[in-house]
Amino acid sequence: MGVLPVPAEVRAILLDIEGTTTPIAFVQETLFPYIKNNVKEYLRAHWEEEECQRDVGLLRKQAQEDSSLDGAVPIPLESGSGEEELERVIQAVVDNVHWQMSLDRKTTALKQLQGHMWRAAYATGHVKGEIFEDVVPAIRKWREAGMKVYIYSSGSIEAQKLLFGYSTEGDILELFDGHFDTKIGPKVESESYRRIAASIGCATNNILFLTDVPREANAAEEADTHVAVVIRPGNAGLTDDEKSYYSLISSFTELLLPSSA
């Protein structure tokens, strides 16, 4: 891999998170298990709060929509008849969350509860966002050279800001000029990259996108965005064709900016 010169027209670097700035294992072995292991305790502690009740209401509505699916878990309404019934409802919510997560579902209801749980976990120090050690020094150099740096992740903007705001490197949110999630469009569709360029105020070929996912790299390329595929420990392997086709880096330090060329 070695050194990868960045094209002279690039003005902004767009970063994926999982497998690019952050180990895939952090999401799979820390964030998601935290939800599974703590959802009951979280619901008990926050049940009377308006936000928690909104979350449960969304999950209940989703459960009704899912009622015809195999293994779906209904969430009964509370009738206010005591502690035993409350525990039964909470357990139904827990079972529903576990069922959705076992199918790797991305429903708004599930993502909203997860987001609120992670916010509490980050704020209390139970979880810190993991960042590869080359990331922060490299981004500081890019910014000093006049580059804009943006995040584009499937995770919500709120979840992105929590990860970087409560990271192993401290609060590093000031390193980013903006955040994009799938509200701008799916990462495997080229139109999403055109929308991002328009939002940033530049042409698509003024952007370099770093990702570990070839399908995302392909979509960005179709929009005339520059791409490099990031090889990190734990990432999915690439085919020989992908290895020979894409520019590859294993560390952000391998990017050589035009000003330093």
Side-chain angles (χ1 to χ4, degrees):
M1 279 168 269
V3 170
L4 178 66
V6 174
E9 67 263 33
V10 169
R11 300 284 177 269
I13 297 178
L14 184 65
L15 302 174
D16 169 50
I17 293 179
E18 189 179 349
T20 300
T21 66
T22 297
I24 282 179
F26 171 69
V27 177
Q28 296 176 345
E29 297 172 14
T30 299
L31 285 186
F32 287 129
Y34 180 86
I35 300 295
K36 288 179 180 173
N37 296 335
N38 292 278
V39 61
K40 181 180 280 190
E41 181 185 344
Y42 176 87
L43 290 169
R44 283 175 175 161
H46 298 276
W47 190 259
E48 300 300 329
E49 296 169 18
E50 188 179 329
E51 181 179 83
C52 186
Q53 282 301 304
R54 282 199 303 270
D55 292 347
V56 171
L58 263 186
L59 286 163
R60 185 178 282 120
K61 186 174 176 220
Q62 184 65 51
Q64 289 167 349
E65 292 172 14
D66 293 340
S67 59
S68 62
L69 298 180
D70 188 37
V73 181
I75 301 173
L77 286 163
E78 275 184 274
S79 62
S81 60
E83 200 66 31
E84 193 175 309
E85 192 219 24
L86 174 61
E87 278 299 308
R88 187 170 59 87
V89 175
I90 287 176
Q91 188 59 52
V93 177
V94 172
D95 292 344
N96 180 278
V97 167
H98 285 183
W99 172 72
Q100 289 202 61
M101 291 182 71
S102 73
L103 299 177
D104 195 27
R105 301 189 78 206
K106 311 288 187 189
T107 63
T108 299
L110 178 62
K111 286 173 76 173
Q112 182 166 301
L113 175 67
Q114 288 173 332
H116 293 151
M117 285 187 65
W118 285 327
R119 183 182 64 199
Y122 281 117
T124 55
H126 286 104
V127 171
K128 282 188 184 291
E130 288 185 34
I131 312 290
F132 287 113
E133 63 181 17
D134 58 279
V135 170
V136 170
I139 293 176
R140 291 198 194 282
K141 283 186 180 174
W142 301 343
R143 291 180 62 87
E144 285 167 13
M147 284 285 176
K148 300 284 191 182
V149 183
Y150 298 88
I151 296 291
Y152 182 28
S153 172
S154 300
S156 70
I157 288 173
E158 182 185 17
Q160 296 173 28
K161 289 183 174 179
L162 287 169
L163 192 154
F164 294 116
Y166 297 93
S167 85
T168 49
E169 303 290 326
D171 182 351
I172 57 171
L173 282 171
E174 86 278 1
L175 296 181
F176 305 108
D177 294 282
H179 298 257
F180 298 96
D181 59 17
T182 50
K183 286 180 181 171
I184 200 117
K187 296 174 76 181
V188 294
E189 292 184 6
S190 57
E191 187 58 33
S192 305
Y193 300 89
R194 297 186 186 97
R195 291 192 194 110
I196 287 172
S199 175
I200 291 172
C202 67
T204 50
N205 72 344
N206 296 142
I207 298 172
L208 170 64
F209 178 47
L210 304 184
T211 179
D212 64 308
V213 181
R215 283 184 68 210
E216 296 174 3
N218 186 54
E221 262 200 345
E222 285 179 0
D224 200 26
T225 297
H226 297 283
V227 300
V229 173
V230 185
I231 311 294
R232 299 285 199 183
N235 287 5
L238 302 177
T239 66
D240 288 340
D241 285 347
E242 288 165 347
K243 286 176 185 173
S244 61
Y245 178 78
Y246 290 109
S247 297
L248 307 177
I249 61 171
S250 60
S251 166
F252 285 6
T253 59
E254 292 169 13
L255 290 182
L256 184 66
L257 298 187
S259 60
S260 56

